[in-house]
Amino acid sequence: MYRVFEALDELVAIVEEARSVPMTASCVVPRGDVLELLDDVRDALPPELDDAQDVLDHRDKLINDARAQADKTVGDADEEARTLLEDARVDADRMLADAKAQADRMVKEARAHAEELVRDAQAEADDLVAEGNKQYESVTGRARVEADRLVESGQASYERSVAEGEAEKARLVSQTEVVQAAHAESARVIDSAHAESDRLRTECDEYIDGKLGEFEELLGTTLRSVGRGRQQLRLSGAPDFAEADHRASRRR
């Protein structure tokens, strides 16, 4: 580049020192020297300037090629994005279907387990109710037999006392001097028989009421055990009927 500026300075000096052509603004310069300096300028210019000129000459083509390449790249990117999006959508649909199938399977298994728990709880509740009914029948049967025995005993005692009183009354009536005493004794005996019969009937009622109270407590314990089993079943847990029966046995 230094030779370029030096040659240009020499050209300027040649033009300034050249002889003028009379009556014109032209001048006479030595052709050979000027051409030689111009060749030096051409040789001194870097080849990149020629390449830059070629680039400038082919600028539109390069821009169009670059634009076409950019459009192709964008189109390929869009196509790849659409492909990736479609693949992602397919994968998402597949994963959703798998998740739904797994959820349905889990729900089905949970429903089957719950139904099994319900059947077990119902069977155990039926067993408890049946056992309670058996105990109820046993207790009421024994109470009924005992009540009948007490009633029969009271009735027999009452009839015996009445018979004795009547006999005593008849005997005393035959004796004039002891008629009043006989009436009093007869009334006393009859009242005593009535009192004994009432006492026996009261004892019988109390015995039956006690047995029925025990059975009522047993039924209450059974119903509470069934209630706890249903509550535990609602919470998806197995009811602990063994523990409930143990507590009920300790209370009894």
Side-chain angles (χ1 to χ4, degrees):
M1 290 299 293
Y2 176 76
R3 178 55 187 161
V4 171
F5 294 115
E6 186 180 21
L8 290 176
D9 291 338
E10 292 178 2
L11 285 174
V12 172
I14 290 173
V15 173
E16 288 177 348
E17 296 175 357
R19 295 191 304 272
S20 299
V21 178
M23 305 299 293
T24 64
S26 300
C27 64
V28 178
V29 294
R31 178 180 296 174
D33 295 338
V34 172
L35 291 175
E36 184 180 355
L37 290 173
L38 290 175
D39 289 336
D40 290 341
V41 170
R42 181 182 293 126
D43 293 336
L45 288 175
E48 287 81 1
L49 292 177
D50 187 47
D51 295 338
Q53 186 62 43
D54 291 338
V55 170
L56 291 175
D57 293 339
H58 298 84
R59 180 183 60 184
D60 294 337
K61 181 177 182 301
L62 292 173
I63 291 175
N64 292 332
D65 292 342
R67 183 176 292 111
Q69 183 65 28
D71 293 340
K72 181 177 181 301
T73 303
V74 172
D76 294 340
D78 290 340
E79 183 64 25
E80 185 176 1
R82 284 193 295 272
T83 302
L84 292 174
L85 181 61
E86 185 65 26
D87 292 341
R89 185 178 292 110
V90 172
D91 291 339
D93 293 339
R94 180 180 57 79
M95 293 175 65
L96 180 61
D98 293 341
K100 183 177 180 182
Q102 185 176 2
D104 293 338
R105 184 172 64 255
M106 293 177 66
V107 169
K108 184 177 179 181
E109 292 175 356
R111 184 179 292 111
H113 183 62
E115 291 175 355
E116 183 179 359
L117 290 176
V118 169
R119 288 193 299 270
D120 294 341
Q122 186 64 42
E124 190 162 358
D126 293 340
D127 293 339
L128 289 174
V129 172
E131 182 65 23
N133 288 331
K134 289 174 60 178
Q135 293 184 8
Y136 170 76
E137 294 294 338
S138 176
V139 171
T140 53
R142 290 196 302 269
R144 189 178 295 109
V145 171
E146 184 67 16
D148 293 340
R149 186 186 65 78
L150 291 174
V151 169
E152 290 177 359
S153 177
Q155 187 66 29
S157 178
Y158 170 74
E159 291 176 355
R160 185 172 58 255
S161 298
V162 171
E164 291 176 355
E166 292 292 338
E168 183 68 16
K169 179 181 178 181
R171 186 183 65 81
L172 293 175
V173 167
S174 62
Q175 300 178 7
T176 305
E177 63 275 9
V178 291
V179 170
Q180 293 181 353
H183 281 292
E185 183 65 18
S186 176
R188 185 189 65 77
V189 171
I190 292 175
D191 291 339
S192 176
H194 281 293
E196 180 67 17
S197 176
D198 292 338
R199 184 184 65 78
L200 292 175
R201 188 177 300 277
T202 300
E203 291 180 356
C204 179
D205 292 338
E206 291 177 351
Y207 177 80
I208 293 175
D209 183 68
K211 293 298 182 181
L212 290 179
E214 293 177 359
F215 180 70
E216 181 181 6
E217 182 179 358
L218 175 62
L219 287 182
T221 302
T222 302
L223 291 176
R224 286 192 296 272
S225 298
V226 173
R228 285 192 296 271
R230 293 181 63 191
Q231 182 65 27
Q232 294 177 0
L233 180 60
R234 295 191 189 98
L235 299 176
S236 300
D240 192 0
F241 288 107
E243 181 65 22
D245 292 340
H246 178 68
R247 291 197 296 269
S249 299
R250 291 182 60 185
R251 285 196 296 272
R252 289 198 296 272

